[in-house]
Amino acid sequence: MKTDVVKPQGIFFNPVRMVVPLFQRPYVWSKETQWEPLWQDIVRLIEVIEHHDPAATHFLGAIVIQQVPVGLGSLPAWNVIDGQQRLTTLQLLLDALHSELERRGFTGQASRVSSLVENPPEHCDGADDRFKLWPTNRDRQSFSTVMSAPTPVDYASLDPTRLRDAHRYFAESITAWLGEGGDAERRARVLVATVTDRLEIASISLDANEDAQAIFETLNARGTPLSAADLIKNFVFQQIEGTAAERAYFEYWADFETPWWETEVTTGRVKHSRSSLFLWQWLVARTLNDFPIREVFTQFKHYVNTVAKDVALLLPQIKRAADRYRALVEGAERQSGPLSRDELFGYRIGVLDSEVARPLLIWLDEPEQEGIADADRRRILEVLESWFVRRALVKVQSQGSNRFIVDLLKSVDARPKDEVAAAVEEFLVASQSSVGYWPGDDEVREALTGAPAYWRYLRGRLRMVLEALEDHRRGYPDGQRLTMGPIVRSKATIEHLMPQEWRKNWDTGLDEEQEAARGRAIQQLGNLTIVTQTLNSRVSNGGWEAKRSHFRKSDDVLLTRDAIELADDNGGWDESAIEARTEQLIDEILAVWPAPDGHRRQQEDAADAVPSAAIDLAQLVSSGWLEAGTELTSREGMYGGARAAVAQDGRVYIGDVAYDTPSGAGRAVVGRGVKGWHFWRLVATGDSLADIRDRYIASLGDVGADLAIDDEDETR
């Protein structure tokens, strides 16, 4: 076994045939999880090389390859034991780069890249020898098609596969980055040099007689990688001598190794220890530099070496920030009683899964910001909360929010302390990009009017909005507070005033069109309330008079009482009352989370956030409609209640065996084709995967209409 650190130039320059064995899984990497981070790493590396460190490199990870004996005069051949996803992605990137260079007429640079993708014809015995990498059998046709497509590549004419989509993503990203000005050729030379000679891969090369499987299992199943917090701890305490290191450890660091800090927290689709997540967010707040969490150790070392210098002085700063961070997190998790404005902001933003706000909260608590008045600090949180909530209601894509928040901090960091609050609002108002815009009243109203709110929004987020409207009535966080206190957070359940099963006890003397209108109305915001105690099914599905009587006697939710008063004025609870209450609640939402007078969005690109494509399980997981690890069972009474689980990447596991689609997993159980989306149900709720998918599509409104599902195609 031989281990080397190599560059793409070193792996692919010489004629070679790298074959992915048939037993390897097909290509599964995706834009959000792998392609986009890789491209961002490349762009960031170029920035570092040009502005900070001319010798900088970027580590891509490891591969394991095993030599294959070949006849004299044949191409050298290697089996790819581990790292095939990484190598395949790299080849797609290189070929997309070659196509763009060729299209622009940059023939010299295009030639440099083509030699890393294709073998010279004189070294090829057959058509399969053309490409340096030859993927597993399920991907070969798609790989060959996209890699051999003429320039410019007509992606619409190619079969839709992940390989095509990856190639297209890199091609479009490269095109945008190069630009069309006179500087494009220089940028092309820089990009080619960076991709071919500044990306590094740990290559483990095995001889033909070595046990590849044992090494593969060791790499993938054994050992616990060090977290960012572990690496930083080792780095820090190596610089403190003797007994001083022990004292500093117990005084400033030991808490990081307690269960609360070691708890794994999910951010995006990845889990990190809370200590590593905090250290990343703290460093972002200190440096005002946006970087991925996987770089936190490298960035920390750079910060110490260039700014902080003395780690003994730095540790008390980290400890102070960590204590405040924990107090805010635990305060936001308190379900009963009033919260401070910081804690309430933390709770509401936490429900929205907006960890991107954490660096801002840390920044506000740093000693440099002590001059910001309490009223201004409160205003900053109110403005940002409005920005986050309105974006969630309009369903704006959150991609890029990390960098936007850092840009916001940079813009206000140098302002006088008495101008920071106004500067935050000015920055948000001025931003008109899809990443940063602040939806105006008309947009929020349009998103909520007539919308199936119960299905459009995740249940926790919808409950948080209703809680805020209830607390507003009770005088929290501002106003004339009632003795009843704020509503208990995260405990209430959402109740339909007109039940979803309305046909049982409500007037059924409706024609078909009226019934359809009622079916739409019952999911709207105006038909929803929150209840603090579970209703039995007889009350929940009962007629209006029965529900009205129960709520008057047993429920103290002002949101519900106001609905009853509206119904009394209206002569009952029907579609017109729901419509009127929807408008009323929208008005209150706009008052609780206001935007500056006259502010409205100037662009019309919100629909770009949702691709018009088929829905798969990975998309439902990434959008929060399914959680990784969700347990599934086959339909009741069928095949012994087979069990399965949803993985983070959208595959379905039965035991230790993964299937790419629900139908594939269903076929493994039944022995023939089944409609997997209907076959599998959630153990926790009984809903089918098709039910979850349909609700997700409904939540997209008009955009969801483009996401047609062909049930007859689901057994494939």
Side-chain angles (χ1 to χ4, degrees):
M1 180 171 65
K2 180 182 178 183
T3 302
D4 293 302
V5 175
V6 295
K7 315 286 178 62
Q9 181 85 6
I11 299 175
F12 298 119
F13 182 78
N14 292 321
V16 69
R17 177 174 163 80
M18 305 183 77
V19 180
V20 180
L22 301 183
F23 59 79
Q24 295 273 23
R25 65 176 178 170
Y27 187 69
V28 297
W29 277 16
S30 64
K31 174 187 172 183
E32 290 184 355
T33 310
Q34 285 93 16
W35 311 335
E36 193 166 64
L38 171 59
W39 176 249
Q40 291 173 347
D41 287 340
I42 292 170
V43 172
R44 179 177 174 77
L45 177 59
I46 292 173
E47 294 175 357
V48 172
I49 292 171
E50 292 190 329
H51 301 293
H52 301 292
D53 182 3
T57 59
H58 178 74
F59 182 63
L60 289 181
I63 62 171
V64 180
I65 55 177
Q66 184 167 39
Q67 193 170 23
V68 177
V70 296
L72 187 64
S74 297
L75 275 171
W78 299 80
N79 277 339
V80 180
I81 305 303
D82 194 28
Q84 64 110 335
Q85 304 283 329
R86 182 171 290 109
L87 288 174
T88 304
T89 303
L90 195 53
Q91 281 291 297
L92 293 166
L93 167 64
L94 287 167
D95 191 68
L97 176 57
H98 171 261
S99 295
E100 179 58 16
L101 295 171
E102 192 176 69
R103 184 185 72 82
R104 292 171 182 256
F106 301 159
T107 55
Q109 298 302 318
S111 177
R112 286 185 61 189
V113 176
S114 65
S115 64
L116 305 185
V117 176
E118 296 187 9
N119 289 307
E122 61 268 26
H123 287 271
C124 300
D125 293 331
D128 291 352
D129 291 342
R130 174 182 177 182
F131 298 107
K132 300 287 178 91
L133 179 75
W134 195 231
T136 190
N137 60 331
R138 287 179 58 182
D139 287 331
R140 286 173 185 170
Q141 180 61 46
S142 176
F143 182 84
S144 178
T145 300
V146 72
M147 296 286 284
S148 59
T151 300
V153 179
D154 180 12
Y155 293 101
S157 68
L158 305 181
D159 290 337
T161 65
R162 288 182 187 267
L163 293 159
R164 182 206 68 170
D165 292 346
H167 197 283
R168 182 175 190 169
Y169 169 77
F170 288 123
E172 291 174 350
S173 299
I174 291 165
T175 300
W177 188 84
L178 290 177
E180 297 296 340
D183 194 41
E185 188 166 3
R186 183 197 68 80
R187 291 171 69 85
R189 288 196 302 271
V190 170
L191 181 58
V192 170
T194 301
V195 170
T196 60
D197 204 47
R198 293 303 182 90
L199 303 180
E200 294 185 335
I201 297 173
S203 175
I204 302 174
S205 306
L206 309 180
D207 293 332
N209 59 353
E210 291 188 82
D211 188 349
Q213 181 62 26
I215 293 173
F216 178 84
E217 291 177 357
T218 301
L219 288 171
N220 288 276
R222 302 175 191 170
T224 302
L226 293 174
S227 69
D230 293 328
L231 293 170
I232 289 173
K233 180 187 72 172
N234 292 340
F235 171 74
V236 166
F237 288 100
Q238 283 178 1
Q239 301 185 52
I240 304 176
E241 297 181 358
T243 58
E246 186 173 342
R247 288 196 303 270
Y249 169 80
F250 284 107
E251 187 171 358
Y252 301 121
W253 196 271
D255 280 352
F256 281 135
E257 298 181 351
T258 58
W260 192 87
W261 284 105
E262 290 181 337
T263 298
E264 288 196 329
V265 178
T266 301
T267 173
R269 290 163 300 282
V270 183
K271 288 186 175 181
H272 301 278
S273 68
R274 187 180 270 124
S275 57
S276 295
L277 187 62
F278 159 75
L279 289 166
W280 171 49
Q281 294 165 341
W282 174 81
L283 197 56
V284 168
R286 291 300 304 174
T287 63
L288 302 185
N289 183 26
D290 176 47
F291 58 87
I293 190 171
R294 63 181 176 275
E295 293 182 12
V296 64
F297 175 56
T298 302
Q299 293 289 336
F300 184 88
K301 285 200 302 182
H302 179 72
Y303 178 69
V304 169
N305 292 332
T306 60
V307 179
K309 304 293 186 181
D310 190 342
V311 294
L313 297 177
L314 186 61
L315 282 173
Q317 297 179 33
I318 296 174
K319 172 66 169 157
R320 177 189 177 279
D323 289 346
R324 176 64 177 160
Y325 181 95
R326 179 170 183 171
L328 280 175
V329 171
E330 292 182 330
E333 292 174 345
R334 195 168 62 248
Q335 293 182 323
S336 301
L339 298 181
S340 70
R341 195 62 189 82
D342 292 31
E343 292 169 342
L344 184 60
F345 177 85
Y347 166 66
R348 289 175 175 174
I349 300 307
V351 172
L352 299 178
D353 298 325
S354 293
E355 282 290 328
V356 297
R358 293 288 178 193
L360 184 139
L361 286 172
I362 294 170
W363 179 85
L364 275 175
D365 277 329
E366 289 296 277
E368 293 85 350
Q369 276 60 257
E370 288 180 354
I372 299 176
D374 290 345
D376 286 345
R377 179 191 179 94
R378 186 181 189 89
R379 178 59 184 152
I380 291 169
L381 298 180
E382 290 170 348
V383 164
L384 281 165
E385 190 177 299
S386 169
W387 184 81
F388 276 112
V389 172
R390 283 176 173 242
R391 287 169 62 85
L393 292 174
V394 175
K395 297 186 80 70
V396 182
Q397 194 173 36
S398 61
Q399 183 180 2
S401 296
N402 288 59
R403 173 163 292 215
F404 181 78
I405 293 296
V406 172
D407 289 342
L408 166 62
L409 291 176
K410 287 180 180 178
S411 74
V412 303
D413 185 59
R415 298 285 288 267
K417 302 309 177 190
D418 60 352
E419 296 179 8
V420 170
V424 168
E425 185 170 310
E426 289 168 7
F427 186 89
L428 297 179
V429 169
S431 177
Q432 295 299 328
S433 70
S434 60
V435 174
Y437 92 95
W438 191 356
D441 289 1
D442 291 345
E443 294 165 87
V444 176
R445 189 177 298 279
E446 181 181 353
L448 292 172
T449 300
Y454 188 72
W455 295 132
R456 174 166 289 185
Y457 304 105
L458 295 178
R459 214 54 47 81
R461 298 182 180 185
L462 184 57
R463 178 177 56 200
M464 182 273 289
V465 170
L466 294 173
E467 287 173 352
L469 298 182
E470 175 67 16
D471 281 346
H472 184 64
R473 286 165 167 75
R474 299 184 182 195
Y476 295 89
D478 302 307
Q480 189 173 353
R481 299 185 175 188
L482 304 182
T483 56
M484 63 196 313
I487 194 166
V488 175
R489 290 169 291 278
S490 298
K491 294 291 286 184
T493 56
I494 299 174
E495 173 71 12
H496 291 74
L497 294 171
M498 180 187 294
Q500 298 187 83
E501 299 182 16
W502 58 270
R503 290 176 176 83
K504 290 183 178 180
N505 295 297
W506 294 63
D507 179 19
T508 57
L510 306 176
D511 60 30
E512 185 175 342
E513 184 176 340
Q514 290 171 326
E515 287 195 354
R518 176 162 290 186
R520 293 189 295 270
I522 59 174
Q523 308 299 348
Q524 293 179 23
L525 182 64
N527 192 46
L528 305 177
T529 189
I530 44 179
V531 296
T532 54
Q533 53 186 331
T534 304
L535 299 184
N536 65 51
S537 59
R538 292 180 60 185
V539 174
S540 181
N541 293 319
W544 173 244
E545 290 303 321
K547 296 189 79 167
R548 178 180 178 277
S549 175
H550 171 83
F551 285 135
R552 281 199 177 278
K553 292 178 181 178
S554 309
D555 200 274
D556 63 353
V557 177
L558 303 181
L559 200 62
T560 306
R561 293 186 182 181
D562 288 351
I564 292 173
E565 291 180 7
L566 188 151
D568 290 345
D569 294 340
N570 185 68
W573 191 256
D574 58 15
E575 290 79 1
S576 64
I578 293 173
E579 182 178 343
R581 185 166 178 267
T582 297
E583 289 302 310
Q584 179 189 87
L585 295 185
I586 293 173
D587 288 340
E588 293 178 21
I589 286 172
L590 299 178
V592 171
W593 293 292
D597 292 341
H599 171 62
R600 60 180 295 127
R601 186 183 179 202
Q602 301 300 317
Q603 297 193 41
E604 299 296 336
D605 59 356
D608 294 341
V610 183
S612 178
I615 299 296
D616 60 14
L617 285 183
Q619 190 168 346
L620 295 182
V621 173
S622 67
S623 61
W625 283 77
L626 278 177
E627 291 185 1
T630 295
E631 293 186 343
L632 306 175
T633 185
S634 57
R635 291 203 302 266
E636 185 176 354
M638 295 184 65
Y639 311 102
R643 290 298 182 104
V646 178
Q648 190 77 55
D649 61 2
R651 291 184 295 166
V652 178
Y653 273 80
I654 300 177
D656 294 329
V657 181
Y659 299 88
D660 291 338
T661 65
S663 296
R667 179 188 293 271
V669 172
V670 180
R672 56 178 172 78
V674 297
K675 294 182 178 181
W677 287 85
H678 299 274
F679 178 83
W680 294 107
R681 296 182 178 274
L682 277 64
V683 172
T685 65
D687 294 319
S688 70
L689 291 176
D691 292 334
I692 306 298
R693 179 190 62 194
D694 292 344
R695 292 171 195 165
Y696 171 71
I697 293 174
S699 77
L700 304 178
D702 293 339
V703 177
D706 295 330
L707 300 173
I709 301 299
D710 183 0
D711 279 346
E712 295 305 315
D713 214 27
E714 288 184 11
T715 57
R716 294 186 303 173

